[in-house]
Amino acid sequence: MFARLAVATVALLLVPVVPASAAGPLKDRTNRYVGSAVAAQPLNSEADYRSVLTREFDSVTPENEMKWAVVEPNRGQFNWSGADAIVNYARQNGKSVRGHTLVWHSQYPGWLNNLGSSELRSVVQQHINTEMGRYRGRIRAWDVVNEMFNEDGSRRQSIFQQRMGDNYVADAFRWARAADPSAKLYINDYNTEGVNAKSNALYNLVRTLKQQGVPIDGVGIQTHLSIQYGFPTSMRQNLERLAALGVDIAITEADVRIPLPADSTKLNTQANYYKQVWDACHAVSRCVEFTTWGFTDRHSWVPGTFPGEGAACLFDTNLRPKPAYTRINP
Ligand code: 9MR
């Protein structure tokens, strides 16, 4: 009797959190991939983090572990430990992986700055080959080119743009297709949810790339929102026009930050924003993925980048579902 009780108590203690929704996990609510950015550190060390992730999501995006500065901090010296941990977790738990990201102006290693244009070109190709090749067949979709536009729709003057010229985008996609023909290849950006100068530029570029036969399969819409700004109500229209170009759409990094402290009014507004993103994706048949940039306020990039803001995720710091979660999975 006592032994049975003790076993029951231990079992209870081992279950980190109660199921979030009577309706079942979020991933079972939709035929879209439901993903989250994940970090290897809590994945390896926090049982409740791992358990909620496993229960609620069917896709994972390494938050930082596949970025160039992490995987090749010095030329020819590789560090795959975090990326491997996440890909292995995914394989063991039947999760899909979104690779993030190959060509990006941020978080690239400093040694690239010393390269001239022809050397940079071959190094970028080699980087794409090496990283995509390592995980060939195990990554569903890759963010090949990330954040290449300025807000006004002009091209960001990254080292790739400056040293390799306009064609760096088409080249990156061609190299990526060759490196892993089974992966869907995406261009990804932020502040491109609604119709605006930046999303117009994105639309025009994708149309041109398609016309040129460049192997691009999808457009990632990051969707970092704040309740301080109005919801981008033209989101559905924007997703529809992009999908009409013959590409898939993914919501790749959704979160909705709140000026702290959060209260029930703000959390309710946040819930409305998440629901509108969810609905915009579900209104467009080619929107194949709804991924959030982290799932718990315990681990979120927001407070570090926007002092005084936070509480941007679907689950609170104790991994309890917030109103936003319940709104999309009632
Ligand atoms: O969440 C990431 C954070 O931990 C990093 O410090 C930061 C560095 O730039 O990148 C964050 O992730 C970004 C993503 O890779 C691209 N889109 C914007 C995300 C939030 O900044």
Side-chain angles (χ1 to χ4, degrees):
M1 175 65 184
F2 283 122
R4 282 248 283 304
L5 255 182
V7 168
T9 311
V10 169
L12 264 181
L13 288 174
L14 287 175
V15 176
V17 278
V18 291
S21 169
L26 186 57
K27 65 182 171 54
D28 295 349
R29 168 143 305 259
T30 172
N31 58 1
R32 272 61 171 176
Y33 289 100
V34 176
S36 177
V38 299
Q41 203 277 327
L43 187 66
N44 290 332
S45 61
E46 296 174 19
D48 54 352
Y49 176 97
R50 193 182 175 100
S51 136
V52 171
L53 175 71
T54 305
R55 187 188 70 209
E56 298 288 337
F57 297 90
D58 54 24
S59 177
V60 290
T61 305
E63 184 173 359
N64 289 299
E65 289 77 353
M66 289 183 169
K67 291 171 181 174
W68 200 342
V70 174
V71 301
E72 196 182 5
N74 301 301
R75 193 169 184 175
Q77 181 206 305
F78 295 95
N79 165 28
W80 302 108
S81 57
D84 283 358
I86 293 169
V87 172
N88 288 335
Y89 159 83
R91 197 177 40 186
Q92 285 156 13
N93 291 278
K95 309 299 183 193
S96 172
V97 183
R98 181 174 196 92
H100 176 84
T101 177
L102 295 165
V103 182
W104 187 29
H105 70 278
S106 179
Q107 283 184 297
Y108 69 81
W111 57 268
L112 295 192
N113 290 324
N114 305 326
L115 308 179
S117 46
S118 68
E119 196 175 14
L120 182 64
R121 205 179 129 78
S122 70
V123 160
V124 169
Q125 179 175 17
Q126 209 183 336
H127 167 61
I128 290 174
N129 267 326
T130 305
E131 181 150 1
M132 289 186 79
R134 182 176 181 86
Y135 301 110
R136 190 178 294 124
R138 296 201 275 165
I139 308 276
R140 168 177 51 86
W142 268 104
D143 294 326
V144 177
V145 173
N146 196 37
E147 302 177 358
M148 61 163 287
F149 288 110
N150 295 316
E151 299 305 295
D152 66 1
S154 60
R155 283 171 173 244
R156 189 191 292 274
Q157 294 300 306
S158 65
I159 56 163
F160 310 108
Q161 175 66 40
Q162 288 187 325
R163 298 185 194 176
M164 295 166 64
D166 282 0
N167 282 338
Y168 86 91
V169 178
D171 286 342
F173 278 94
R174 292 197 177 101
W175 295 331
R177 180 68 95 224
D180 183 356
S182 67
K184 298 287 188 197
L185 307 180
Y186 280 69
I187 188 168
N188 189 46
D189 218 321
Y190 63 94
N191 287 349
T192 51
E193 293 71 41
V195 173
N196 57 37
K198 196 174 184 181
S199 69
N200 288 344
L202 178 61
Y203 174 84
N204 288 331
L205 176 69
V206 173
R207 188 178 54 189
T208 302
L209 293 174
K210 291 289 286 183
Q211 279 164 359
Q212 294 171 341
V214 174
I216 178 169
D217 302 305
V219 176
I221 303 292
Q222 292 187 10
T223 320
H224 292 291
L225 303 178
S226 165
I227 65 162
Q228 288 178 94
Y229 311 114
F231 186 84
T233 48
S234 53
M235 184 168 191
R236 175 179 172 172
Q237 180 195 343
N238 188 41
L239 302 191
E240 275 167 352
R241 69 170 174 165
L242 288 165
L245 296 174
V247 288
D248 289 339
I249 308 292
I251 307 301
T252 52
E253 308 185 12
D255 55 14
V256 182
R257 49 187 199 274
I258 287 177
L260 299 172
D263 59 28
S264 60
T265 307
K266 294 177 189 172
L267 290 169
N268 188 46
T269 303
Q270 177 184 56
N272 291 337
Y273 278 49
Y274 267 105
K275 179 70 160 75
Q276 288 177 88
V277 174
W278 179 267
D279 287 347
C281 180
H282 286 83
V284 179
S285 58
R286 292 206 71 155
C287 183
V288 298
E289 174 179 350
F290 175 89
T291 284
T292 57
W293 205 242
F295 60 96
T296 165
D297 294 337
R298 188 192 293 171
H299 299 292
S300 166
W301 70 291
V302 170
T305 305
F306 300 95
E309 297 180 61
C313 300
L314 292 175
F315 293 84
D316 70 14
T317 56
N318 292 314
L319 294 164
R320 285 180 302 234
K322 293 162 62 183
Y325 176 92
T326 318
R327 189 67 54 88
I328 60 177
N329 189 22

